[in-house]
Amino acid sequence: MNLSTVTEEQSRFTFVSSIEELEGVMSKVDRNVERMIVHWTETNSNRNIGARDIEEYQKETSGLSSIGYHLVILRDGSIQRGRELERIGEHTPSYDDTSIGVVFVGGINAPSGTLSPENFISPLSLTRAQFNSFDHICRAFFHRFDGGYVVGHNDLDPLELDPGFDVIDYVQSRFGKTYTIEDVR
């Protein structure tokens, strides 16, 4: 294949290979971004789905034309590109225009086939490798958007459970950023 003729489809869903690449990609965002909103896929702990799987699911169930999230954190900590960061996401109505959507693969701390999976919804389904990658994403976000907020979907919509942990507290303890839910709404 001639590398100069790589199509957009072939470049979609590639992986971020380094912290420097992540910072470079984030630094090129040239739209008004006020917050990064964190989600989870609410999938079983033995399902390591990726951006293409999420896109297919969202097309099927929500009628989206493409994946709504910008970055996907796989169970092994790999960071996969979803929707281009320059494009407005489709992950949190009323906030999509001014946000970047990040999604953890996980949410159900039990393997596929477990009866009553809703009883196993837990942040324990997320891995240390995922949190390490999340920290890198947060650093790159704050480097580019110093006054920005990183919040959970559940901070903006109390009917949502994802991402299953208190993102505002996590960011405060890891990065020293202090703000309240009222600040980010």
Side-chain angles (χ1 to χ4, degrees):
M1 172 190 307
N2 181 342
L3 292 178
S4 64
T5 61
V6 173
T7 66
E8 180 182 338
E9 177 61 29
Q10 292 166 322
S11 67
R12 292 179 70 219
F13 309 140
T14 57
F15 289 88
V16 176
S17 61
S18 68
I19 295 167
E20 294 79 15
E21 181 182 351
L22 180 61
E23 289 176 352
V25 167
M26 197 72 72
S27 72
K28 292 178 184 171
V29 176
D30 190 29
R31 62 181 176 91
N32 180 34
V33 173
E34 298 172 0
R35 63 188 63 79
M36 183 168 69
I37 303 172
V38 185
H39 304 264
W40 66 13
T41 57
E42 200 169 316
T43 51
N44 297 81
S45 57
N46 65 333
R47 294 204 56 227
N48 194 27
I49 64 172
R52 189 170 310 282
D53 302 305
I54 295 167
E55 179 176 77
E56 288 173 14
Y57 178 79
Q58 289 183 325
K59 282 179 171 182
E60 206 174 281
T61 63
S62 303
L64 299 184
S65 61
S66 67
I67 186 170
Y69 307 109
H70 297 96
L71 297 170
V72 179
I73 306 173
L74 277 62
R75 297 196 47 76
D76 67 359
S78 300
I79 301 170
Q80 190 175 23
R81 290 177 178 83
R83 183 176 290 226
E84 296 83 9
L85 285 166
E86 275 304 310
R87 288 183 53 211
I88 293 171
E90 291 182 82
H91 51 87
T92 311
S94 300
Y95 296 95
D96 289 335
D97 290 353
T98 58
S99 67
I100 292 173
V102 174
V103 65
F104 280 83
V105 172
I108 301 174
N109 196 29
S112 300
T114 300
L115 297 177
S116 303
E118 66 278 0
N119 293 333
F120 298 93
I121 294 175
S122 171
L124 296 174
S125 67
L126 306 177
T127 68
R128 171 66 358 225
Q130 287 178 298
F131 279 103
N132 291 342
S133 294
F134 179 58
D135 286 355
H136 295 310
I137 293 170
C138 287
R139 276 188 204 92
F141 176 81
F142 288 130
H143 186 257
R144 171 63 180 90
F145 304 102
D146 186 43
Y149 305 107
V150 177
V151 298
H153 189 193
N154 54 359
D155 292 320
L156 302 173
D157 184 347
L159 299 177
E160 296 293 340
L161 297 175
D162 65 313
F165 65 98
D166 190 324
V167 175
I168 292 175
D169 281 352
Y170 183 87
V171 167
Q172 181 178 1
S173 70
R174 299 288 291 175
F175 302 99
K177 301 285 185 177
T178 303
Y179 43 86
T180 66
I181 292 173
E182 290 74 28
D183 294 332
V184 300
R185 287 190 178 160

